[in-house]
Amino acid sequence: QLGSRGETEALAGHFADDEVGQVASALDDYALRLTQLVARDREFNSDVSHELRTPLAVILSTVELLLAMPDLSDRARDRLRRIERAAKQSTELTTALLHLSRGERQAPSEGETTEVGKVLDQLLETHRSQLGRKPLTLELIKEAEVQVDAPQSVIAVAVGNLLGNAIKYTSEGVVRVRLEADRVLVEDTGPGISQHEADRLFERNYRGVGATGSGAGLGLAIVSRLCDLYGWRASMEPREGGGARAMLDFSPPP
């Protein structure tokens, strides 16, 4: 039961001091410890996310100063650009996680919207630079101009995780990002997935069959939580002809 301010209301006071009352008292104790645990977890996540923003800001400002030096070699400038892109990605993720830990939507400024197409341009540029010699082509097709009432950092994290997941599981071929009215599709030519596996990919700590590397299976779970917070929908399905298709739908649920 909940009190007038939303806190858990004690049960023991409603029962006599007998076996039922003892069970109620034990439940009260368990509920209190659980509430304290959740509160500590939220505070920790919020504190960590907040504190990470300071060193990331220092990295970005330092890189900006270094890039302004006129005598930089092309190789050094390219490496600094990679550091800058990684720091920006980390900043966006930290900002999104901060608001997830608080359970609140990060509202843009009044009248501000994010142009999804520009976010996709930046994401593909970043991921292309990280492909190395992997025989993989990244394509972007814009069929519509889409603006969303959400901060750029949140959209970048949501779409970026879908794109990164497709790149991870596609050893060669094409990863195609398609911007349609109110949604983004990410299609790949990887080994494909079963529908059963597709239904589980957004679960926390679940990693797909054939996953390699040290990933913890959190990327798509973060996408799912952002969708819950902003009223979006994310899904994954097998693609006809092989590979998989991920979708991020910004339209209101029916």
Side-chain angles (χ1 to χ4, degrees):
Q1 297 181 7
L2 297 178
S4 58
R5 292 181 297 177
E7 70 275 10
T8 302
E9 184 178 345
L11 297 173
H14 298 281
F15 300 94
D17 188 15
D18 53 15
E19 292 183 356
V20 176
Q22 293 174 5
V23 172
S25 180
L27 288 173
D28 287 341
D29 181 62
Y30 177 76
L32 177 61
R33 287 186 285 117
L34 184 61
T35 300
Q36 292 172 341
L37 178 64
V38 171
R40 286 197 300 269
D41 182 64
R42 285 181 175 176
E43 289 172 1
F44 174 78
N45 291 336
S46 180
D47 291 344
V48 169
S49 299
H50 183 272
E51 292 302 320
L52 282 174
R53 299 172 75 178
T54 299
L56 287 170
V58 172
I59 293 172
L60 283 170
S61 61
T62 303
V63 169
E64 184 177 353
L65 291 174
L66 291 173
L67 286 171
M69 298 174 61
D71 55 345
L72 276 179
S73 67
D74 291 341
R75 176 175 294 183
R77 190 174 299 277
D78 180 63
R79 289 173 176 172
L80 286 172
R81 290 292 186 192
R82 291 179 64 184
I83 294 173
E84 182 182 44
R85 286 192 292 266
K88 286 181 177 179
Q89 278 185 300
S90 298
T91 300
E92 291 169 344
L93 178 59
T94 299
T95 302
L97 291 178
L98 177 62
H99 288 270
L100 277 180
S101 69
R102 295 173 178 173
E104 63 182 18
R105 292 178 56 161
Q106 180 190 0
S109 303
E110 184 177 355
E112 178 189 2
T113 59
T114 296
E115 189 173 332
V116 178
K118 290 184 177 180
V119 178
L120 298 183
D121 287 333
Q122 296 170 6
L123 285 173
L124 264 72
E125 179 185 355
T126 297
H127 282 84
R128 283 195 185 101
S129 68
Q130 299 171 355
L131 289 177
R133 296 184 178 180
K134 191 174 185 179
L136 186 62
T137 301
L138 303 185
E139 296 181 356
L140 174 59
I141 301 174
K142 298 179 184 179
E143 298 182 357
E145 293 184 3
V146 180
Q147 294 186 334
V148 177
D149 294 327
Q152 175 176 321
S153 59
V154 172
I155 296 173
V157 169
V159 179
N161 273 302
L162 297 180
L163 177 58
N165 186 75
I167 292 173
K168 179 192 302 183
Y169 288 97
T170 308
S171 57
E172 60 181 355
V174 179
V175 171
R176 182 177 295 105
V177 180
R178 188 185 305 273
L179 178 59
E180 299 179 350
D182 295 328
R183 69 177 187 174
V184 176
L185 298 176
V186 180
E187 302 173 330
D188 64 62
T189 56
I193 54 175
S194 67
Q195 187 59 56
H196 171 73
E197 184 183 7
D199 293 337
R200 295 198 59 196
L201 284 177
F202 291 92
E203 296 178 9
R204 183 179 176 86
N205 296 325
Y206 181 81
R207 301 186 69 202
V209 176
T212 59
S214 57
L218 297 178
L220 295 184
I222 292 173
V223 176
S224 179
R225 291 185 61 193
L226 288 174
C227 287
D228 291 341
L229 197 60
Y230 283 86
W232 304 335
R233 297 186 304 281
S235 62
M236 185 84 66
E237 64 182 6
R239 193 170 69 90
E240 185 177 352
R245 177 186 293 110
M247 181 185 69
L248 179 63
D249 193 335
F250 302 113
S251 62

